[in-house]
Amino acid sequence: VQSQPVSLLNLPPASHSITSAAAANAQPIFYLLVDDNRAAAATSAASESSSSATGSAGKEGAYAAHLITVSGRNGKFEQLMGVPGGDGGGKERKTVLSPLSRASCASYHPSCGYVYAAGTSVLSLPPTHALAIASHLAGLDEDGKEGGGGSVGAFHSSSSKRGLLSSVPSYRGGHGHGHGHHGTITRRQEQQLAILKAALPSIVFDAKSVLPSIGARSGPDAMCLTCGGRVAVVAVGDSFFAVSGHSVADDRYLKGTVFDGSASHGHEEHHHSDAAAGASWYSRPDQPDEPSTSTRMPPTKVLSLDASGRVHPAVAVEIPVHASSKAAAPVGDDEVATSLLFLASGRECAAVEILHDPRFIASSSSIGIAYSEEDGSSSFQGPVTAGPPRNGVATLASPILAAAGLAGHGSTPSLVAILTSDGLVQTRSPSCLGVPLTTVEVGNRPNDFFTLRLLPNRKIVAASYSGEGRVLALRPESPQDVADRLMTLSIDAFGPANFPRTELAEAISASYGATSYAGHSEPTVAARALLRQYLEAILGFGDGFGDDVGSGWGSSHSDAGGATSQSSAALLTGTALLCKVCSILSRPNTSLATRAARACSTKMGIGVENASTASAKVCKIIADDLLSLALADPSTGMSFVEPASWLLRSCGLHAKAVEVVAGRMNDAETRNKAVGGASGKAGSAAYIKSPMAGWSQLRFESFLSSHLSDLWTSGDNVLADLVLTSETTLQLLEQNPRLGLSIFTSGHPQSEKQWDSTEALDDPLAHPTNPQRVIDLLKAAKPFVPLQAAPKIETSEKEGAAPLPLTSGRSLAVTYLESAIGISTGRQASAASSTEQDAFDALPSDKAVEERIADLHDELAFLLLEGMISERREVASTATTTTEEGDATEAKQDTDSTDEAEQDSELGALYRGKLRRFLSWPNAKVRPEQLLKMTPPEFHRERALVLGRLGRHDDALRILYCDLRDLDMALEYCDVRCEQWESKKRRSRFRASTITDDSESDPYLPLVKVALASGDQKEGVDAAIKVLSLRRDVMDCGAALRLLPGDLPLSRIARPFLIPAVVDEESEVRQMKVTAALLRASYVRLKKELTDAQIESQASLRSVPAFKSLGLGELIRTSKSFRARPVHATSSSFPDVTITKHYFPRYLVIQAKITNSAVSALSGEGRALADVSFVVAESSDEALTPTLTVPLKTLPTRS
């Protein structure tokens, strides 16, 4: 090269998709840009040609381009040659590649290869050059045999040492180029072809004359390929533009070569120009091979910087995302891809997110989607979308010369290394480019070092014009570095004395030098904005499309297992400082402060042990400052109070946090001012600017109840005592009972699955004192009920399942206890639990805990009984005297049975249903003795349920049958007992003891006895017969028949009981016989399948245990099975013999299958054979010599 090289791009020796020894040893390829001082002449010539030719690429590039490689023979640089081709006579020659177009800048990506910008066009290399690069990259070029391609000979045909392209006359085989080569591609050649295709670019850029007329800027970093090689970002003047590529098939590169399928059509030559090869993504659908020249898709403007000039180079580099980020995962060709770019020109720089959506290309049949701007101009929406710069554009102290992106790994986030003209290399976060993290001086002469390139293991190499080089290793930041930087930035933003300086230094352990930093004379707006950006980055509130770059900055101070003392101090103080700086900005950003404080409170948790004393002081001081701002300007409403409350919660000052919010909720004057009441304008400017300023009553109550609920469910007795003694809790219970009650019930299991997974210590009633204290608090509450507002009672299909209206302290306590014991949240009875859980029921329980739980169950029963009595109405004593004489007996019975539905109010009926449901619940642990004494005599059904819990089932049935005259209710009572008895029997199988009490074996016999012992014998006998008829399948019918009177005619019980019972028994017998026959058939079938499976498994040599210890070696082959032919005439009893031979290296194994197919001449049926022997003998001319005899004592028929 006779001129001065200005840029050198190195192609890696092997693509990630190429795996071969030849590819691994291939020499690298370089794309060299040379300043030949012909830029002015080239520009003038391009201008003349553009006026006379259609579709010109516009102004040419500033530099001449060359493809060079390293020779495998002498190690010198040499020009890359084209792939060899056949001349029809079997001779091969290396072709010389055509000169490359001039270029201003270029870049490389494995998916698209080399892409360059020339003037106003962004293009890929011609197909011939791309094919030559792929052939060299895959190690298949002809020079590879001499060192360039390493072990390329292993991929050549065994009969010819020629290259791949010369050894295959035609890709499809059959007919060649006139010479008549016939044949097909061998497996080795197919492997070579696959390697070649893997090295070919799959994305092509063919965007001609799309950039602004000023043309692309020159420089080694003026172009960047991003989004997996789909998008090219090019610097044009003071702006950066994004151009989309398109996918292509391998035919783009293989047309006109020996692999082209059209070559078999004769001697016709095929010429494909570089400009027309491959269809552009904006081509017309009817002409896919001709790019449209009438319309072009304009590029997407990514970023425009201020007038930064073109003295210093433009920089566009991609910042690799963190390895754990979702964006780091590979995406498919039809999926959306995102990338983060660092763009710089002069002293300005920014981090911008790029999004590429290939679905736009597939769904758009025209050049794009047009839309109108506000000024009336039209624009286009393409497949590339650029986001706004992260935290705006940053301005550095010195011009930027180069940059390199560093991928995040582990706790280290993704960073960008920046080289400036003063010889400094600084690492910065993409979310906060204004703050340098580490600084290294690589040179002391201005503009000497000019480039940065990334090395493995997060190392960087810097090169200078003077021939020097520096290799920099990135050192992870220590907590001390972060603490000192945070301290100095805080002093610059707030001033020396406008923030808790001493407490902050103690909390974050800042060094003496950082703490004594003097800072600027006066805080500036830029310093405050810089601190806000830095805190956003370190706390993970950087903006973006979902990329995690920057969100993990400072993650070395935290771990997934929870907050440590050091990490909690950094989190608390950083969040507090962010809230303070957001409050003193020219336009306070209270939404960001609230979001940060809420996230900090979530990470810190409820406990106060995670916050250090110094960090808690910092939070308290800054929270007081925020509350002072809210007090000074009541129109701000909750804008400053909410972040202050979250800060107080983060540092463990929960009492003050609740007091602050409750005080604001109860301060009607301040709340009216917040929504414009003081100024008389409901839509005042302050209220409009901050929609969160005015809170509704419901929002206040929801915020407080959520906070108190978190404190209650934390498991801390101190915090629980705070909830129980707080006046705010009682106020919430009275103003919004359901929301206030959720403070205590939100931690209860809400489903059967949650109850099953609840441990004994997590039971809501397991605490020694808190449940009773909650009940006392709820009973003392007096919920506010609007005047003339009747409570709305919901209905439910199940008795007692509807919720109570929370209009009294008693209803609050009942609702809490129902949730705590699980009767209203789907808790199943222990008898219905799994057998594994039932096994634990036999273990001895904690008597003290059982007594406390029983006391609470008694409390619920007494509250329900009290509510039922208090809601009972008086019924006139003459209610039954107005009936007709014919109904006098029935009226008397109704009076005796006391119609409960008429005496209960709607609310009283709900209390009654809940009491009945609770007494019928198997998990209820109520003490029935005390409850029976307190239950009034007129509550018949309730007393019956209590008597049943005492075991007095006869008395309970007398009440249900005799007093209430309800046989159906008595049967239902017996059905419940029967289910409990069956469950008890099932549970007894898993216990050491068995059930010995036979008195309860039949729960229906007591009902028969009660019915027969009633006053009316005829009615009693009819009732007993009805019980026998309805429950004959589950009760002891024989014992029940013996209880009937001896003089009872048989006809009385024949039709309702005896005949159906006999029919059922016969039907059951027949069903059992059929079932037995089916089971027998299934048994026989399974036994036969088992026998066949055993025979089949034994037929395999590998499964025979005897062969494993013989050491026969590997099996060579197995012959086909054949039927042995007897030498002499066989009798009808001679078995069938099938022989299979297995050949081993030194042994022969004979496998014989002997089948008894003998048939009796008399009966025609099969018969068994006895004393059968299988003899293996050696044959000679004289005789047979037996060598092995296998006796078979008995050979059953057909086996």
Side-chain angles (χ1 to χ4, degrees):
V1 178
Q2 301 299 327
S3 304
Q4 178 183 2
V6 296
S7 181
L8 187 68
L9 293 180
N10 176 19
L11 180 66
S15 172
H16 61 84
S17 59
I18 303 174
T19 56
S20 71
N25 296 326
Q27 296 298 326
I29 298 176
F30 299 92
Y31 185 80
L32 181 66
L33 297 182
V34 180
D35 187 1
D36 53 0
N37 298 322
R38 298 180 184 178
T43 302
S44 176
S47 300
E48 295 178 0
S49 61
S50 63
S51 61
S52 59
T54 303
S56 173
K59 221 183 333 179
E60 292 188 1
Y63 307 121
H66 303 275
L67 284 174
I68 61 175
T69 184
V70 179
S71 174
R73 294 183 294 269
N74 50 26
K76 295 182 179 180
F77 287 101
E78 64 180 13
Q79 185 178 3
L80 181 67
M81 303 299 291
V83 296
D87 59 354
K91 297 181 179 180
E92 300 81 27
R93 65 178 185 272
K94 296 173 64 175
T95 60
V96 178
L97 293 174
S98 60
L100 292 172
S101 302
R102 301 179 65 85
S104 298
C105 54
S107 186
Y108 170 80
H109 193 277
S111 298
C112 57
Y114 284 117
V115 179
Y116 66 94
T120 59
S121 302
V122 179
L123 306 169
S124 296
L125 292 183
T128 54
H129 295 68
L131 183 60
I133 294 176
S135 176
H136 181 91
L137 183 65
L140 303 178
D141 57 345
E142 198 171 22
D143 281 343
K145 296 183 292 183
E146 301 184 21
S151 58
V152 68
F155 291 87
H156 287 173
S157 175
S158 59
S159 60
S160 174
K161 296 300 182 180
R162 297 175 295 178
L164 169 67
L165 301 184
S166 60
S167 62
V168 182
S170 175
Y171 173 66
R172 295 185 178 179
H175 301 282
H177 288 279
H179 186 68
H181 292 283
H182 298 277
T184 58
I185 297 179
T186 64
R187 179 179 299 180
R188 189 180 302 275
Q189 292 167 350
E190 288 180 354
Q191 187 179 24
Q192 293 175 338
L193 178 61
I195 296 174
L196 176 64
K197 289 183 177 181
L200 291 173
S202 59
I203 300 176
V204 168
F205 288 83
D206 193 12
K208 298 182 180 180
S209 303
V210 295
L211 299 177
S213 59
I214 189 174
R217 294 180 61 174
S218 59
D221 296 325
M223 172 186 281
C224 175
L225 296 173
T226 184
C227 292
R230 303 178 186 176
V231 179
V233 178
V234 186
V236 180
D238 298 329
S239 303
F240 294 86
F241 292 86
V243 178
S244 175
H246 61 94
S247 300
V248 294
D250 298 333
D251 293 344
R252 168 185 170 87
Y253 309 100
L254 302 180
K255 284 183 179 180
T257 67
V258 292
F259 295 99
D260 189 5
S262 61
S264 61
H265 296 295
H267 303 279
E268 182 180 354
E269 296 183 358
H270 299 267
H271 300 281
H272 300 272
S273 62
D274 296 339
S280 179
W281 58 271
Y282 48 76
S283 300
R284 294 192 299 269
D286 55 342
Q287 296 177 351
D289 291 334
E290 298 180 6
S292 175
T293 57
S294 60
T295 56
R296 301 287 185 185
M297 171 65 74
T300 301
K301 180 179 285 189
V302 179
L303 179 67
S304 291
L305 301 175
D306 294 336
S308 56
R310 303 182 63 175
V311 176
H312 296 91
V315 178
V317 297
E318 182 177 7
I319 303 176
V321 299
H322 198 278
S324 60
S325 172
K326 294 181 180 179
V331 296
D333 295 338
D334 57 344
E335 297 180 1
V336 177
T338 60
S339 294
L340 183 64
L341 299 181
F342 173 79
L343 306 177
S345 180
R347 296 191 303 118
E348 296 178 320
C349 60
V352 180
E353 189 106 17
I354 294 290
L355 182 146
H356 182 265
D357 189 356
R359 296 172 295 183
F360 173 86
I361 303 176
S363 61
S364 177
S365 58
S366 60
I367 64 171
I369 302 175
Y371 61 93
S372 300
E373 301 287 355
E374 295 180 357
D375 57 359
S377 61
S378 61
S379 181
F380 296 92
Q381 175 63 48
V384 181
T385 302
R390 289 190 172 183
N391 289 317
V393 178
T395 302
L396 275 61
S398 301
I400 300 172
L401 301 182
L406 300 172
H409 179 70
S411 61
T412 306
S414 297
L415 302 174
V416 57
I418 303 174
L419 172 65
T420 53
S421 61
D422 52 3
L424 299 180
V425 175
Q426 297 175 334
T427 57
R428 298 173 183 254
S429 169
S431 297
C432 185
L433 292 173
V435 178
L437 304 182
T438 56
T439 302
V440 177
E441 184 179 8
V442 294
N444 52 15
R445 289 181 295 179
N447 298 318
D448 185 17
F449 281 83
F450 66 94
T451 185
L452 287 181
R453 286 297 179 265
L454 188 64
L455 297 178
N457 300 325
R458 291 171 64 88
K459 294 182 179 180
I460 305 171
V461 60
S464 67
Y465 289 110
S466 60
E468 298 182 7
R470 298 286 188 273
V471 176
L472 308 178
L474 181 64
R475 176 182 62 85
E477 278 197 307
S478 64
Q480 189 64 52
D481 297 334
V482 179
D484 292 347
R485 186 183 305 112
L486 181 60
M487 193 70 198
T488 55
L489 291 175
S490 301
I491 294 174
D492 288 338
F494 302 119
N498 294 330
F499 72 104
R501 181 171 182 170
T502 305
E503 291 81 1
L504 177 62
E506 181 182 356
I508 63 178
S509 302
S511 63
Y512 176 77
T515 307
S516 58
Y517 172 68
H520 302 296
S521 57
E522 291 292 337
T524 62
V525 176
R528 292 172 179 172
L530 193 62
L531 177 61
R532 178 187 65 81
Q533 295 178 14
Y534 177 76
L535 290 173
E536 280 188 68
I538 199 173
L539 295 174
F541 295 101
D543 50 355
F545 290 159
D547 185 14
D548 293 336
V549 175
S551 63
W553 193 16
S555 59
S556 57
H557 312 295
S558 63
D559 49 38
T564 61
S565 58
Q566 187 176 12
S567 64
S568 61
L571 179 62
L572 278 174
T573 53
T575 304
L577 291 175
L578 179 59
C579 293
K580 182 174 180 60
V581 73
C582 287
S583 65
I584 62 176
L585 293 175
S586 56
R587 298 183 62 181
N589 192 350
T590 55
S591 61
L592 174 61
T594 302
R595 186 160 57 101
R598 184 189 301 114
C600 177
S601 176
T602 302
K603 294 180 181 178
M604 291 296 298
I606 297 298
V608 299
E609 65 277 357
N610 291 333
S612 62
T613 304
S615 59
K617 288 182 180 179
V618 174
C619 280
K620 183 177 182 302
I621 293 173
I622 294 180
D624 291 340
D625 294 342
L626 296 177
L627 294 175
S628 300
L629 292 175
L631 185 62
D633 186 6
S635 63
T636 58
M638 293 292 293
S639 298
F640 296 114
V641 177
E642 185 179 6
S645 172
W646 286 110
L647 284 179
L648 293 172
R649 292 175 60 172
S650 301
C651 61
L653 301 177
H654 298 283
K656 185 174 182 180
V658 173
E659 179 184 354
V660 167
V661 179
R664 182 57 64 104
M665 178 181 67
N666 298 325
D667 190 352
E669 181 180 359
T670 304
R671 291 180 59 183
N672 290 334
K673 291 181 180 180
V675 297
S679 60
K681 298 179 181 179
S684 60
Y687 181 65
I688 294 175
K689 290 181 180 179
S690 179
M692 298 173 56
W695 277 16
S696 64
Q697 180 70 19
L698 180 60
R699 185 170 181 181
F700 273 108
E701 294 170 351
S702 300
F703 187 87
L704 288 172
S705 64
S706 176
H707 186 189
L708 293 172
S709 177
D710 292 340
L711 298 179
W712 179 256
T713 56
S714 65
D716 193 322
N717 291 331
V718 177
L719 298 180
D721 185 71
L722 171 63
V723 175
L724 291 172
T725 57
S726 175
E727 295 181 358
T728 304
T729 305
L730 185 60
Q731 182 180 359
L732 286 176
L733 288 171
E734 294 179 346
Q735 292 183 357
N736 194 332
R738 194 162 299 280
L739 196 61
L741 186 61
S742 66
I743 297 173
F744 305 103
T745 60
S746 61
H748 296 171
Q750 301 297 320
S751 64
E752 178 184 353
K753 183 178 180 181
Q754 294 181 8
W755 276 110
D756 291 340
S757 60
T758 302
E759 298 180 0
L761 296 178
D762 297 331
D763 191 282
L765 302 180
H767 196 276
T769 58
N770 284 346
Q772 188 59 48
R773 294 180 64 187
V774 172
I775 294 173
D776 296 339
L777 175 64
L778 296 177
K779 291 167 65 175
K782 299 179 180 180
F784 171 74
V785 180
L787 296 177
Q788 298 179 354
K792 182 179 180 181
I793 299 178
E794 300 180 9
T795 59
S796 176
E797 296 180 358
K798 296 182 178 180
E799 185 181 23
L804 281 172
L806 304 180
T807 57
S808 63
R810 178 176 57 247
S811 61
L812 287 172
V814 168
T815 305
Y816 167 76
L817 284 172
E818 285 186 334
S819 175
I821 67 177
I823 190 174
S824 63
T825 52
R827 188 176 188 178
Q828 296 296 317
S830 58
S833 304
S834 62
T835 57
E836 290 79 3
Q837 293 174 335
D838 292 338
F840 288 99
D841 293 340
L843 299 177
S845 58
D846 191 339
K847 297 298 183 182
V849 176
E850 293 293 335
E851 287 295 327
R852 289 197 302 267
I853 294 179
D855 291 339
L856 296 175
H857 283 231
D858 288 344
E859 182 74 24
L860 176 59
F862 288 129
L863 287 172
L864 292 173
L865 182 61
E866 178 185 348
M868 186 172 60
I869 296 175
S870 63
E871 297 296 333
R872 187 175 175 84
R873 293 195 299 254
E874 293 293 336
V875 180
S877 58
T878 60
T880 60
T881 61
T882 58
T883 59
E884 299 180 0
E885 293 182 8
D887 298 331
T889 303
E890 183 179 356
K892 186 177 184 302
Q893 292 176 356
D894 292 341
T895 303
D896 294 339
S897 61
T898 312
D899 191 357
E900 300 163 352
E902 293 183 0
Q903 295 183 0
D904 288 338
S905 64
E906 190 176 5
L907 184 57
L910 183 57
Y911 273 111
R912 183 184 294 275
K914 287 185 174 295
L915 179 59
R916 291 174 179 175
R917 185 178 67 154
F918 178 59
L919 293 176
S920 302
W921 192 44
N923 279 356
K925 299 180 180 180
V926 65
R927 298 184 181 93
E929 299 86 356
Q930 300 179 8
L931 186 60
L932 183 63
K933 297 178 182 178
M934 302 296 297
T935 305
E938 60 270 17
F939 292 172
H940 298 290
R941 188 173 177 184
E942 290 73 21
R943 290 182 63 86
L945 293 175
V946 176
L947 289 171
R949 287 193 163 271
L950 287 172
R952 297 164 57 180
H953 302 293
D954 294 348
D955 296 337
L957 290 173
R958 288 190 185 94
I959 293 176
L960 296 176
Y961 178 76
C962 299
D963 297 344
L964 296 179
R965 315 299 296 175
D966 195 335
L967 180 61
D968 294 335
M969 191 179 297
L971 276 174
E972 182 181 351
Y973 177 88
C974 295
D975 292 340
V976 174
R977 286 192 58 210
C978 183
E979 293 179 2
Q980 296 176 354
W981 175 252
E982 293 295 333
S983 299
K984 188 176 181 181
K985 288 195 300 182
R986 288 194 301 266
R987 288 162 56 86
S988 65
R989 301 174 186 174
F990 305 99
R991 295 189 178 184
S993 61
T994 59
I995 301 175
T996 58
D997 187 7
D998 294 335
S999 61
E1000 299 181 357
S1001 59
D1002 192 340
Y1004 297 97
L1005 290 180
L1007 178 58
V1008 175
K1009 295 178 182 179
V1010 169
L1012 293 175
S1014 61
D1016 191 344
Q1017 183 179 5
K1018 179 179 182 302
E1019 183 180 357
V1021 171
D1022 291 340
I1025 294 174
K1026 186 176 182 180
V1027 173
L1028 281 169
S1029 175
L1030 295 177
R1031 298 296 185 269
R1032 62 179 179 270
D1033 55 337
V1034 294
M1035 65 180 299
D1036 188 354
C1037 298
L1041 289 174
R1042 287 190 291 270
L1043 295 176
L1044 296 176
D1047 56 350
L1048 184 67
L1050 186 62
S1051 58
R1052 290 281 302 275
I1053 62 175
R1055 182 177 295 276
F1057 171 68
L1058 290 179
I1059 295 177
V1062 172
V1063 172
D1064 292 344
E1065 289 293 335
E1066 292 180 353
S1067 176
E1068 184 177 358
V1069 169
R1070 288 194 299 268
Q1071 183 179 359
M1072 295 299 295
K1073 289 182 178 180
V1074 173
T1075 303
L1078 292 176
L1079 292 176
R1080 176 64 181 175
S1082 178
Y1083 168 76
V1084 173
R1085 178 180 56 82
L1086 293 176
K1087 187 175 182 180
K1088 182 178 182 303
E1089 292 178 358
L1090 177 61
T1091 303
D1092 295 342
Q1094 291 176 347
I1095 294 175
E1096 183 179 357
S1097 63
Q1098 293 175 2
S1100 176
L1101 293 179
R1102 302 289 182 181
S1103 62
V1104 178
F1107 282 105
K1108 297 181 180 179
S1109 59
L1110 294 180
L1112 301 179
E1114 294 294 331
L1115 178 64
I1116 299 177
R1117 70 181 183 89
T1118 299
S1119 67
K1120 293 183 179 180
S1121 300
F1122 61 93
R1123 185 175 181 181
R1125 294 177 298 175
V1127 179
H1128 307 286
T1130 60
S1131 64
S1132 59
S1133 62
F1134 192 84
D1136 295 332
V1137 180
T1138 303
I1139 301 296
T1140 305
K1141 298 180 181 180
H1142 304 279
Y1143 295 91
F1144 290 87
R1146 299 182 60 185
Y1147 301 94
L1148 173 63
V1149 177
I1150 298 176
Q1151 178 182 351
K1153 181 180 180 182
I1154 304 173
T1155 305
N1156 181 10
S1157 58
V1159 179
S1160 175
L1162 298 177
S1163 61
E1165 298 179 356
R1167 61 191 183 90
L1169 300 179
D1171 297 331
V1172 180
S1173 297
F1174 178 74
V1175 181
V1176 179
E1178 294 182 359
S1179 63
S1180 63
D1181 296 339
E1182 299 178 356
L1184 294 175
T1185 305
T1187 59
L1188 178 65
T1189 301
V1190 180
L1192 301 175
K1193 294 183 179 181
T1194 303
L1195 189 61
T1197 181
R1198 301 186 184 280
S1199 62

